[in-house]
Amino acid sequence: MKRVIVDYKRLDREVASLLIDLYPHGYGDNDIIVLKKPNGELIEAVEVKTDDTIYLVKISQSLSNFISNFEENIEKELGSSEEAQLTEGAVDGSPEIEPDFSTDSEDTV
C-alpha cells in the first residue's frame, strides 16, 4: 500500500468525501500524525485510507474551514450544475426554441 502526502485542495472528489465522512465534526489531537521532513520541518496530517492508498492530508486552517463548509459547498456546486444544464444551449439564458418548418397545408404553384 502506498502513502501519499497531499494538500486537501488536490484531493479528488471521492477521497475528499471520504475525508468528510471520517471527520464530520473535525479532527482531534488523537487523529493527527506528525511527520518530519528531511529539512527538519514538521508536517501535521490526518489519515484517509482507500483500498490501495493511505492519504496523509496536510492540516491547515483552510482544511478546518473546508470540513466545516463542505455541505454548503456541495449544495452550491449541485445548484450551479443544475442551472448550467437548464440553460445549456441557450445564448442569453433563456431556453432555445427551434423553428417549426412543417406546414399543415400544401402550397401549389
Side-chain angles (χ1 to χ4, degrees):
M1 187 172 285
K2 65 181 178 177
R3 294 185 120 193
V4 177
I5 299 174
V6 64
D7 189 80
Y8 81 92
K9 294 175 187 174
R10 296 187 179 267
L11 292 175
D12 64 23
R13 190 171 274 237
E14 179 184 330
V15 178
S17 293
L18 189 55
L19 172 70
I20 299 306
D21 290 343
L22 289 171
Y23 307 103
H25 303 290
Y27 47 85
D29 291 339
N30 294 334
D31 301 317
I32 298 172
I33 298 169
V34 179
L35 306 166
K36 191 172 186 178
K37 290 172 66 172
N39 65 1
E41 180 184 347
L42 293 178
I43 297 175
E44 294 182 331
V46 291
E47 187 175 81
V48 178
K49 290 182 183 179
T50 62
D51 292 335
D52 61 345
T53 306
I54 297 174
Y55 293 92
L56 298 174
V57 183
K58 293 182 202 177
I59 291 177
S60 64
Q61 181 62 36
S62 54
L63 174 61
S64 298
N65 292 335
F66 172 75
I67 290 173
S68 63
N69 297 323
F70 184 76
E71 292 296 324
E72 293 173 20
N73 292 338
I74 289 299
E75 288 174 11
K76 287 178 186 176
E77 281 185 34
L78 292 176
S80 64
S81 174
E82 289 172 1
E83 285 180 26
Q85 289 176 354
L86 290 175
T87 60
E88 191 172 284
V91 176
D92 61 355
S94 60
E96 189 174 307
I97 301 172
E98 294 187 25
D100 182 11
F101 293 112
S102 64
T103 59
D104 292 334
S105 61
E106 293 183 21
D107 292 332
T108 57
V109 184

